[in-house]
Amino acid sequence: MTTDTIFDITRTSSSRINNVDLDNPGFGREFADHMLEAEYRDGRWQQPEIKPYGSIEITPALSVLHYAQSVFEGTKAYYVDGETVNLFRVEKNFERMVRSCERMCIPKVEREVFLEGIKELIKLDHKWVPQKDGNSLYIRPFACAFDPIISARVAEQYRFYIITSPVGSYYDRPVKLTTTQQYVRAVKGGVGAAKTAGNYAASLYPAQQAKKQGFDQVLWLDAEEHKYVEEVGTMNIFFVIDGVLVTPSLRGTILPGVTRDSIIQLAKHWDMPVEERRISIEEVMQAGEDGKLEEVFGAGTAAVVAPVEEVHHDGQSVTFDIEGRGPVGQKFYDAITDIQYGQAEDPFDWITSVKVNK
Ligand SMILES: Cc1ncc(COP(=O)(O)O)c(C=O)c1O
């Protein structure tokens, strides 16, 4: 099947690319010329359209605005050379989107539309993929309820979109984390493992409180005992304790990150001891006190590896005197970004190269 039969494509007649500074695009503020839109109605996804990026008309009664039946993904495209743009493990993003859709009662987005849609957008808008080191084109697929009805029920109509946004490299200033005994991100049986809007809305208030106390983000603990470490805002968390890489196991309350999975695979490939298990905040603080906590870092698409300079819990802090990533975090950062930008071998077959016309 050619892409013309999968999508109706309408090209923009006036590109906005000259209005954007691709060297300094910020994050999520500028959008490339085209977007994909698919409608779900009459019990099936209709033929998707690729068309100029622009506003959409909605009614104030739109169901997603009221009941948050909505899922999304986040991945990036990396400039390699004038003819090649790399995508990183987009298949994993598709699989996670399908799981998120299932949990949120959203009809499963079609594989071909998701994967070929991303590739087609990259081909059309390849000039929007920034060339500056560390910059990339962020890709945001999302699906949401589109019934023009105020009623708390599973919707009958949906929309699926893919929009893309040139983004700068994430500032790698080390972050300060604090736990909270008052708030939780996700409960067992809830929607913590789904990439759904409400998870982010619910975490805003605790994150704002943490910021008021001088921290960057909350280090979430489990909801039952407030004892075990889960994750951070939009990142999974890793600890290096006495030479062993430790990250909380996936138990349905944590988002299964693509970066997390990549780090675990790399560690195994390098024969670096790695443990996915429950890790209590007491163990972390004790390791800090004993001088065995060598590094802490967050892992996610935005920053890849974000160094942590402080973990605060219950009036105590473990701090690291660092200016950037530690050696272990840096090693993962370099390995992953080198693969993403086509500067290293890809032993795990993580890359999809999109050939673009100059
Ligand atoms: C809550 C949460 N945890 C972890 C991650 C990291 O996931 P990934 O590595 O797939 O970006 C993200 C980002 O998507 C997130 O929103």
Side-chain angles (χ1 to χ4, degrees):
M1 225 192 257
T2 65
T3 48
D4 287 0
T5 55
I6 310 173
F7 313 110
D8 285 331
I9 301 179
T10 310
R11 288 179 169 76
T12 182
S13 54
S14 56
S15 172
R16 290 172 284 102
I17 194 157
N18 291 332
N19 308 338
V20 177
D21 178 3
L22 290 180
D23 283 349
N24 301 293
F27 201 100
R29 291 174 187 278
E30 307 285 351
F31 296 93
D33 283 328
H34 298 89
M35 65 181 187
L36 180 147
E37 181 184 60
E39 281 183 43
Y40 182 95
R41 64 183 141 76
D42 305 327
R44 65 179 190 89
W45 286 106
Q46 309 291 319
Q47 165 117 355
E49 258 186 279
I50 288 180
K51 58 185 190 180
Y53 178 89
S55 306
I56 55 172
E57 200 178 271
I58 57 168
T59 147
L62 194 75
S63 46
V64 66
L65 299 181
H66 303 269
Y67 305 110
Q69 198 191 350
S70 165
V71 301
F72 65 98
E73 268 306 323
T75 183
K76 284 174 169 177
Y78 305 90
Y79 178 88
V80 178
D81 57 39
E83 289 165 13
T84 318
V85 171
N86 277 354
L87 299 170
F88 184 72
R89 307 193 74 187
V90 269
E91 205 50 74
K92 289 285 269 183
N93 293 94
F94 171 69
E95 288 163 11
R96 189 169 66 191
M97 178 119 180
V98 167
R99 290 195 303 272
S100 300
C101 282
E102 271 166 13
R103 181 63 181 84
M104 301 309 291
C105 289
I106 294 175
K108 185 183 137 182
V109 168
E110 288 164 18
R111 186 173 185 280
E112 192 173 49
V113 172
F114 185 100
L115 297 173
E116 295 303 319
I118 290 176
K119 284 189 216 162
E120 194 58 36
L121 284 172
I122 295 302
K123 283 184 199 158
L124 280 171
D125 287 335
H126 66 90
K127 294 203 172 99
W128 287 83
V129 182
Q131 297 183 24
K132 188 178 162 192
D133 223 18
N135 291 12
S136 53
L137 188 68
Y138 184 78
I139 301 167
R140 167 55 59 89
F142 64 100
C144 59
F146 231 74
D147 279 358
I149 298 169
I150 297 179
S151 171
R153 56 162 209 198
V154 175
E156 289 173 356
Q157 298 171 61
Y158 297 85
R159 290 273 179 97
F160 171 59
Y161 289 94
I162 307 176
I163 57 176
T164 67
S165 168
V167 295
S169 70
Y170 202 85
Y171 189 45
D172 62 3
R173 181 180 65 80
V175 293
K176 296 182 182 180
L177 306 179
T178 181
T179 61
T180 160
Q181 290 297 316
Q182 226 176 333
Y183 306 103
V184 294
R185 190 192 92 98
V187 296
K188 223 154 165 41
V191 295
K195 204 158 167 61
T196 185
N199 282 335
Y200 299 84
S203 67
L204 294 177
Y205 183 77
Q208 197 179 48
Q209 299 297 104
K211 283 206 175 97
K212 278 188 190 153
Q213 292 160 29
F215 301 99
D216 297 297
Q217 299 211 28
V218 173
L219 176 61
W220 296 109
L221 301 180
D222 76 284
E224 285 148 37
E225 297 175 72
H226 285 249
K227 183 172 172 191
Y228 296 100
V229 175
E230 301 233 295
E231 62 178 319
V232 183
T234 57
M235 295 189 290
N236 295 113
I237 189 90
F238 283 84
F239 304 94
V240 184
I241 303 175
D242 218 4
V244 180
L245 188 64
V246 184
T247 194
S249 41
L250 302 175
R251 296 162 41 84
T253 50
I254 298 175
L255 193 84
V258 176
T259 318
R260 173 188 182 279
D261 185 77
S262 308
I263 287 175
I264 293 169
Q265 276 197 51
L266 275 170
K268 289 181 179 163
H269 184 66
W270 293 334
D271 284 330
M272 181 187 282
V274 52
E275 294 175 0
E276 283 179 80
R277 62 171 170 86
R278 297 203 95 180
I279 174 162
S280 69
I281 188 66
E282 267 79 37
E283 180 183 343
V284 172
M285 301 308 284
Q286 190 62 51
E289 211 167 287
D290 298 346
K292 290 185 177 165
L293 187 62
E294 290 152 21
E295 272 180 52
V296 182
F297 57 86
T301 297
V304 186
V305 166
V308 172
E309 70 169 1
E310 179 174 355
V311 177
H312 180 89
H313 170 68
D314 200 16
Q316 309 242 306
S317 275
V318 179
T319 56
F320 299 89
D321 189 13
I322 49 169
E323 268 161 29
R325 296 177 200 94
V328 177
Q330 189 66 41
K331 192 172 167 181
F332 286 116
Y333 177 86
D334 290 341
I336 291 172
T337 53
D338 282 353
I339 293 173
Q340 288 170 335
Y341 288 94
Q343 286 157 3
E345 287 292 298
D346 173 22
F348 311 101
D349 227 2
W350 282 343
I351 294 297
T352 304
S353 286
V354 181
K355 288 290 160 205
V356 298
N357 293 326
K358 271 192 227 181

